[in-house]
């Protein structure tokens, strides 16, 4: 979904992302699967509407000359009885025949066909508030509680008692919640697959725990089917810790961080051996993975979050914890001996919302005090997974280490804890907090580069059956007018505030359309995919340089609304771009900004500073204007 090699081609298939919701998502306890049946199907927007909006989205981004050329191509595409109409009809046919015309294409084009490593390129990281763990006993205790919390979440999935989420009075699709446990990505030589073992006759009853690069199978249920208590889990984790003290083990897990074709080859080589194959299967089938990380070198308090966010994305390199992972696993919870904790997730099966819901649930669960009596039955030793390392596999591991270390050095991660205000402030001025933050990002980028850029903000399509995401293009003619006016001394504050308000209104309208299945990004993708399947050649409109320019998202952004004071982070979508996640709380906002060091034009620290200044200046502007009214 994002690619170094030919990212221009890749990004026209656009990368996935998480939830934005201008309305609050409400949870209501009722049986989720009953609702699934009554959810509407994802519509195919009218062709004319999408094409007109696509042209409008190009206006702030390309020259008049390019615009004239693109208009010509569009007229040709929309000719009565022409190629556009043919593709639209095919797409509408597909929509009638499938539960969701987009989901399979989206999963393929964005994830499974992508050959870039999943670590840093598509897998997001989540940093939880720092735990004050004194020692490894504290780490084990915390891990035991966390496991119990996830199993509590799993019991809602198993008993079909997960509360249904509503947005604006409409139920949302809950399908993704059923994809995150007991699932795993499997590498292939040209394309990956995702397997969900929860669906089988005998769903898995174990998790995998990895410590010092060594993997263990930990059964988390007693023989009567009851989950292990926190005390029992603690005892089992102690056993694992004590039997994995040697640190000279080969980090087999680091193979999963490689370029997908490389890993696909190494994978086939690895599972030729029967023991290895069984060990790999045990990891793939497990409900989730817990990574007990070695402590990292101490850093100053201001650097702490940057370092931990990086640790969640990639583990810090082969010397540290990058080998203490299985990046193909959908859910990996990471707990450091130094109190750093969080998770990383493989993005193909689900977006952010189910993950965030799970995190909030687990954090709540861990606050409760445990009153469960622990049965006195002695538990058997967790099984250590064995790997036979041939010279060839050793060579693959060494190569994966080198590649990972290059990637680790290349990714710059900056966490900005913006403490001056949170979502309450824009709300007090009757402005959408999300749109307000998007305009601050536009302003920060404009101030840094004196120009605007294509911007991607993901939003949810879960109002529809099996809905994933749509993208909102945050850069508009109106956002550009606002950012230009902001530092123009000839403009009065009232005019600047009016332009901000107008830009926010347009953003809200685009978001509303996207959530209701009327976005442009996925419709264009659908038309393009139909053309690839049906036609001998791709229509000119998709070969146009403007199409490539507009799909090269230098700002790749995502709101992650969590009750927990967490930080989500993800890598940039393009080599000369930024990945920006934000979690707006009532009185502060957590941002994570990433960029590649190999690109001289980008600088995560500098953009974070511009962002902080923009947020402060926008607040000052609104306060000054409301004083004079």
């Amino acid at each position: 979904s994002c690619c170094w090699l030919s990212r221009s081609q890749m990004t026209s298939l656009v990368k996935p992302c998480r939830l934005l919701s201008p309305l609050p998502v409400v949870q209501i306890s009722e049986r989720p699967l009953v609702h699934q049946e009554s959810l509407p199907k994802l519509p195919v927007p009218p062709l004319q509407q999408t094409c007109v909006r696509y042209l409008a989205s190009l206006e702030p981004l390309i020259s008049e000359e390019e615009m004239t050329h693109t208009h010509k191509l569009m007229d040709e595409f929309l000719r009565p009885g022409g190629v556009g109409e043919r593709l639209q009809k095919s797409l509408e046919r597909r929509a009638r025949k499938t539960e969701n015309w987009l989901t399979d294409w989206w999963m393929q084009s964005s994830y499974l066909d992508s050959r870039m490593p999943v670590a840093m390129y598509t897998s997001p990281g989540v940093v939880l508030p720092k735990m004050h763990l004194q020692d490894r006993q504290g780490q084990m205790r915390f891990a035991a509680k966390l496991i119990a919390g996830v199993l509590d979440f799993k019991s809602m999935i198993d008993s079909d008692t997960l509360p249904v989420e509503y947005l604006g009075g409409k139920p949302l699709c809950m399908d993704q919640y059923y994809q995150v446990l007991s699932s795993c990505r499997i590498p292939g030589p040209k394309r990956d697959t995702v397997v969900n073992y929860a669906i089988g006759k005998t769903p898995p009853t174990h998790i995998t725990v990895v410590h010092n690069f060594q993997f263990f199978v930990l059964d988390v249920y007693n023989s009567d089917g009851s989950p292990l208590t926190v005390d029992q889990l603690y005892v089992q984790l102690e056993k694992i810790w004590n039997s994995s003290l040697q640190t000279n083990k080969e980090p087999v897990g680091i193979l999963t961080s490689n370029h997908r074709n490389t890993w696909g080859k190494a994978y086939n080589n690895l599972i030729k051996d029967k023991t290895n194959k069984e060990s790999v299967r045990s990891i793939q089938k497990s409900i989730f993975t817990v990574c007990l990380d070695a402590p990292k070198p101490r850093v100053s308090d201001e650097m702490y979050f940057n370092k931990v966010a990086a640790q969640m994305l990639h583990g810090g390199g082969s010397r540290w914890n990058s080998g203490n992972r299985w990046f193909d696993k959908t859910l990996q919870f990471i707990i450091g001996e130094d109190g750093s904790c969080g998770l990383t997730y493989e993005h193909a099966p689900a977006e952010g919302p189910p993950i965030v819901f799970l995190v909030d649930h687990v954090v709540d669960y861990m606050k409760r005090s445990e009153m469960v009596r622990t049965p006195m039955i002695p538990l058997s030793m967790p099984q250590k997974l064995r790997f036979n390392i041939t010279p060839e596999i050793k060579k693959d591991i060494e190569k994966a280490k080198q590649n990972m270390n290059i990637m680790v050095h290349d990714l710059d991660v900056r966490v900005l804890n913006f403490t001056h205000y949170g979502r309450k402030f824009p709300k007090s001025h009757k402005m959408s907090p999300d749109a307000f933050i998007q305009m601050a990002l536009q302003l920060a980028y404009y101030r840094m580069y004196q120009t605007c850029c294509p911007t991607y903000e993901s939003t949810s399509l879960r109002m529809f059956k099996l809905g994933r995401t749509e993208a909102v293009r945050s850069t508009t003619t109106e956002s550009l007018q606002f950012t230009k006016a902001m530092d123009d001394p000839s403009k009065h504050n009232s005019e600047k505030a009016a332009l901000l308000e107008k830009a926010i209104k347009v953003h809200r309208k685009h978001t509303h359309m996207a959530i209701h299945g009327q976005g442009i990004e996925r419709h264009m993708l659908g038309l393009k995919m139909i053309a690839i399947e049906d036609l001998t050649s791709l229509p000119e409109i998709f070969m146009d340089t403007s199409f490539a320019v507009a799909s090269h998202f230098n700002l790749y952004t995502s709101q992650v609304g969590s009750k927990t004071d967490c930080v989500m982070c993800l890598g940039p979508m393009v080599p000369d771009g930024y990945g920006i996640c934000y979690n707006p709380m009532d009185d502060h906002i957590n941002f994570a900004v990433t960029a590649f060091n190999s690109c001289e034009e980008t600088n995560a620290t500098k953009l974070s500073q511009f962002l902080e200044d923009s947020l402060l200046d926008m607040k000052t502007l609104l306060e000054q204007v409301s004083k004079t009214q």
Side-chain angles (χ1 to χ4, degrees):
S1 67
C2 60
C3 182
W4 257 343
L5 315 170
S6 58
R7 289 219 185 173
S8 56
Q9 300 149 4
M10 290 303 301
T11 42
S12 59
L13 296 173
V14 169
K15 186 171 168 184
C17 203
R18 342 292 179 239
L19 174 78
L20 155 151
S21 54
L23 296 161
V25 172
V26 185
Q27 280 143 7
I28 299 178
S29 303
E30 38 197 316
R31 297 177 77 75
L33 295 179
V34 176
H35 279 280
Q36 283 300 107
E37 292 315 306
S38 61
L39 286 169
K41 279 183 166 195
L42 180 67
V44 176
L47 183 63
Q48 197 73 29
Q49 170 185 295
T50 292
C51 294
V52 167
R53 290 187 60 210
Y54 167 69
L55 291 171
S57 77
L58 295 176
E59 265 170 16
L61 303 170
I62 61 174
S63 68
E64 273 180 45
E65 207 179 326
E66 289 170 308
M67 201 67 190
T68 311
H69 177 66
T70 301
H71 268 282
K72 272 200 199 112
L73 296 182
M74 190 57 92
D75 290 344
E76 176 58 28
F77 184 70
L78 288 175
R79 218 168 18 95
V83 69
E85 271 184 26
R86 284 213 324 269
L87 295 177
Q88 177 76 357
K89 285 204 173 91
S90 290
L91 193 56
E92 287 165 353
R93 255 199 313 280
R94 179 182 163 100
R96 286 194 295 274
K97 287 198 305 223
T98 51
E99 283 204 291
N100 186 313
W101 62 262
L102 172 65
T103 301
D104 289 348
W105 275 343
W106 177 242
M107 185 109 145
Q108 289 299 348
S109 63
S110 242
Y111 300 111
L112 304 178
D113 287 347
S114 163
R115 304 328 282 153
M116 291 310 279
V118 292
M120 285 190 281
Y121 286 92
T122 55
S123 294
V126 180
V127 182
L128 289 170
K130 186 174 183 175
M131 297 298 149
H132 298 286
L133 310 177
Q134 300 312 306
D135 49 20
R136 71 183 185 90
Q137 270 76 24
Q139 183 189 17
M140 301 292 117
R141 192 93 213 141
F142 179 81
K145 273 188 153 166
L146 182 138
I147 294 166
V150 183
L151 293 177
D152 189 65
F153 168 83
K154 183 176 181 291
S155 68
M156 291 195 292
I157 299 272
D158 295 344
S159 61
D160 200 12
T161 54
L162 190 71
V164 174
E165 291 180 310
Y166 278 75
L167 184 64
K170 297 202 167 91
L172 297 181
C173 176
M174 300 300 284
D175 177 72
Q176 290 173 39
Y177 283 87
Y178 293 81
Q179 310 303 331
V180 293
L181 297 174
S182 314
S183 60
C184 195
R185 184 159 164 165
I186 315 272
K190 292 202 170 65
R191 151 183 293 187
D192 295 356
T193 45
V194 170
V195 181
N196 184 344
Y197 294 96
I199 303 163
K201 286 194 181 74
T202 50
T205 54
H206 69 280
I207 65 170
T208 30
V209 179
V210 51
H211 177 239
N212 277 337
F213 313 149
Q214 295 151 72
F215 288 83
F216 291 80
V217 165
L218 170 52
D219 279 306
V220 287
Y221 292 95
N222 289 300
S223 52
D224 64 356
S226 62
L228 297 194
T229 63
V230 171
D231 291 338
Q232 285 177 310
L233 289 164
Y234 175 79
V235 169
Q236 296 299 75
L237 290 170
E238 278 277 66
K239 291 179 192 167
I240 287 173
W241 177 281
N242 291 328
S243 51
S244 53
L245 290 174
Q246 61 287 47
T247 50
N248 59 346
K249 291 292 181 198
E250 284 297 335
V252 181
I254 204 155
L255 291 170
T256 62
S257 71
N258 237 328
H259 188 281
R260 301 308 294 176
N261 288 357
T262 314
W263 167 219
K265 285 196 195 90
Y267 176 80
N268 287 336
N269 186 19
L270 180 70
I271 62 171
K272 273 185 206 145
D273 175 281
K274 190 165 171 277
T275 306
N276 294 353
K277 188 175 186 167
E278 284 169 7
S279 293
V280 168
R281 275 294 173 274
S282 294
I283 298 170
Q284 290 168 340
K285 283 185 169 170
S286 61
I287 303 167
F288 57 92
T289 295
V290 172
C291 311
L292 300 174
D293 274 10
K296 298 280 309 267
R298 283 223 123 113
V299 292
S300 64
D301 284 354
E302 58 183 321
M303 286 299 287
Y304 172 80
F305 276 106
N306 303 338
K307 283 284 172 255
V308 179
Q311 183 188 348
M312 297 307 143
L313 283 170
H314 54 58
S318 65
R319 275 190 55 205
W320 302 105
N321 294 299
S322 294
N324 217 43
R325 303 279 183 277
W326 194 268
F327 284 107
D328 290 4
K329 196 73 196 132
T330 308
L331 268 184
Q332 296 190 88
F333 293 93
I334 299 159
I335 301 148
E337 214 176 316
D338 50 11
S340 56
C341 59
L343 64 133
T344 179
Y345 70 95
E346 200 289 301
H347 212 324
E351 314 303 335
I355 309 294
V356 166
F357 177 85
L358 187 143
V359 165
D360 287 343
H361 182 85
V362 171
V363 169
D364 274 352
Y365 181 90
M366 290 171 75
K367 287 178 188 151
R368 302 181 220 157
S369 55
E370 267 289 303
M371 288 308 287
V372 188
R373 287 289 308 275
T374 293
M376 292 309 289
I377 328 150
L379 294 162
S380 59
M381 176 68 203
Q383 176 206 347
K384 183 174 185 170
L385 296 176
R386 306 270 165 209
F387 287 97
N388 295 321
I389 307 289
T390 63
E392 204 180 343
I393 295 167
K394 174 116 173 82
K395 215 164 79 188
D396 289 336
I397 289 173
E398 287 311 311
K399 209 165 122 197
K401 282 187 192 174
Q402 287 168 1
N403 289 344
M404 187 48 148
N405 294 341
I406 291 167
M407 292 189 343
V408 165
H409 286 298
D410 193 25
L411 191 73
D412 186 20
V413 186
R414 286 286 163 258
V415 172
L416 165 65
N417 300 105
F418 181 80
T419 52
H420 305 279
Y421 61 86
R423 61 180 168 219
K424 276 201 235 156
F425 173 74
K427 275 183 179 167
S428 70
H429 287 268
K430 302 200 169 30
M431 288 177 173
S432 144
D434 182 75
F436 186 88
I437 292 168
Q438 284 290 329
M439 292 311 124
L441 288 167
Q442 290 295 319
L443 180 57
Y445 192 93
Y446 189 84
R447 284 174 165 179
M448 189 160 161
Y449 294 100
Q450 267 58 66
T451 181
C452 64
C453 70
T455 305
Y456 182 114
E457 181 190 5
S458 64
T459 171
S460 176
L461 284 177
R462 286 175 56 215
M463 273 191 182
F464 305 99
K465 200 171 200 176
L466 303 183
R468 294 286 301 249
T469 59
E470 174 58 277
V472 175
R473 294 183 171 219
S474 307
T475 308
T476 54
T477 305
E478 291 78 7
S479 73
L480 183 58
Q481 284 167 341
F482 157 66
T483 53
K484 280 182 166 169
M486 194 62 187
D487 296 327
D488 181 347
S490 69
K491 298 265 193 282
H492 292 300
N493 279 351
S494 57
E495 195 181 340
K496 294 177 187 179
L499 286 170
L500 170 60
E501 207 162 316
K502 193 175 168 194
I504 282 178
K505 272 209 177 97
V506 168
H507 190 274
R508 290 258 357 213
K509 183 181 154 212
H510 289 178
T511 303
H512 182 85
M513 287 185 81
I515 286 173
H516 291 86
Q518 299 296 317
I520 56 176
E521 210 59 47
R522 303 294 182 261
H523 188 194
M524 294 291 280
L525 171 68
L527 294 167
K528 188 176 169 182
M529 295 298 268
I530 281 278
I532 291 168
E533 284 182 12
D534 288 6
L535 301 176
T536 43
S537 65
L538 214 56
E540 291 277 324
I541 195 81
F542 297 116
M543 315 286 274
D544 183 20
T545 47
S546 304
F547 186 75
V549 168
S551 311
H552 186 90
F553 292 103
N554 300 79
L555 283 180
Y556 170 40
T557 73
S558 168
Q559 172 179 311
V560 183
S562 166
K563 294 191 196 85
T564 309
D565 197 1
C566 64
V567 180
M568 196 181 247
C569 45
L570 72 166
M573 193 194 284
V574 293
D576 56 344
Y578 297 92
I580 302 173
C581 270
Y582 50 97
N583 180 12
M585 309 296 280
D586 278 346
D587 299 305
H588 67 281
I589 310 167
N590 297 332
F591 289 94
V593 182
T594 58
F596 293 115
N597 291 319
S598 52
C599 174
E600 283 178 15
E601 287 81 56
T602 55
N603 183 323
T605 306
K606 208 164 150 190
L607 187 68
S608 308
Q609 284 156 354
F610 276 109
L611 177 56
E612 182 150 24
D613 293 343
S614 298
L615 285 161
L616 289 169
D617 292 350
M618 283 161 69
K619 177 175 191 260
T620 307
L621 172 71
L622 292 181
E623 285 173 343
Q624 284 172 348
V625 170
S626 54
K627 263 190 207 129
T628 56
Q629 279 169 353

